[in-house]
Amino acid sequence: MDPVKRKKVTIKSVHDKKKAGQKITSIGVYDAPMAAIADRVGFDFLVVGNAGPMALLGHPDPTTVKFEEQLALTRAVSRVTKYGFVVGHMPYMSYHASKEQAIASATRLVAEGGADCVKCEGNRYTAEYIAEIVRAGIPVMGHIGMQASAAPSRAASA
């Protein structure tokens, strides 16, 4: 696709693509060079997942990724993204303690990190906190099913 004719991907443009039966593309990106390439290729969603801090910063599993690390990588991705919809992953325990914490963490990923929305791993325990993020006006990409960012015992019971 010609970058000159492209527009920034928005929630509305994604809804329009879905309604028209067009494919919606997504890729995990973890740093500025990878994001710049994916953005130029034309992916709709650029997801800054927790695999980035794991691979780049040597974390043994997703539960050890710190919010500030995820924020820094989200910021790097958003700085070079012109068209793609940047999805910032909410790390383990960054939205689990309270509704206030959930909103504050999501707000930081959007306001400081430049994310267009946040991605949360949802289950019956986190649903009310994720709903508060949405009520606060922050778009959420939900992730249900296998929960890689959950502690092993919690993931098995969700």
Side-chain angles (χ1 to χ4, degrees):
M1 181 175 286
D2 183 0
V4 177
K5 296 179 183 178
R6 290 181 52 211
K7 292 183 180 179
K8 172 77 174 153
V9 175
T10 64
I11 293 172
K12 182 184 180 328
S13 67
V14 170
H15 283 261
D16 291 346
K17 278 183 104 168
K18 182 176 179 182
K19 193 183 299 183
Q22 297 174 334
K23 290 184 180 182
I24 298 167
T25 58
S26 178
I27 188 170
V29 295
Y30 313 120
D31 57 30
M34 184 186 249
I37 293 166
D39 195 47
R40 186 156 190 230
V41 167
F43 284 91
D44 296 305
F45 292 118
L46 305 182
V47 182
V48 189
N50 53 16
M54 288 176 59
L56 298 172
L57 305 175
H59 285 281
D61 65 70
T63 65
T64 62
V65 172
K66 304 296 179 234
F67 182 84
E68 296 300 326
E69 295 167 331
Q70 191 69 43
L71 178 64
L73 295 181
T74 302
R75 189 178 294 131
V77 166
S78 69
R79 281 185 190 128
V80 300
T81 301
K82 295 178 184 176
Y83 308 108
F85 194 82
V86 177
V87 181
H89 175 79
M90 296 278 281
Y92 178 67
M93 295 308 292
S94 65
Y95 57 101
H96 300 76
S98 68
K99 293 174 183 177
E100 294 78 17
Q101 180 209 34
I103 294 168
S105 295
T107 299
R108 288 191 67 200
L109 275 180
V110 172
E112 296 175 39
D116 295 305
C117 79
V118 298
K119 178 174 132 325
C120 300
E121 294 182 355
N123 59 39
R124 62 183 173 192
Y125 305 107
T126 59
E128 72 179 276
Y129 296 160
I130 296 169
E132 284 301 311
I133 295 170
V134 173
R135 273 193 273 286
I138 299 168
V140 172
M141 175 184 277
H143 176 101
I144 57 174
M146 187 157 86
Q147 304 210 350
S149 294
S153 62
R154 185 75 177 265
S157 67

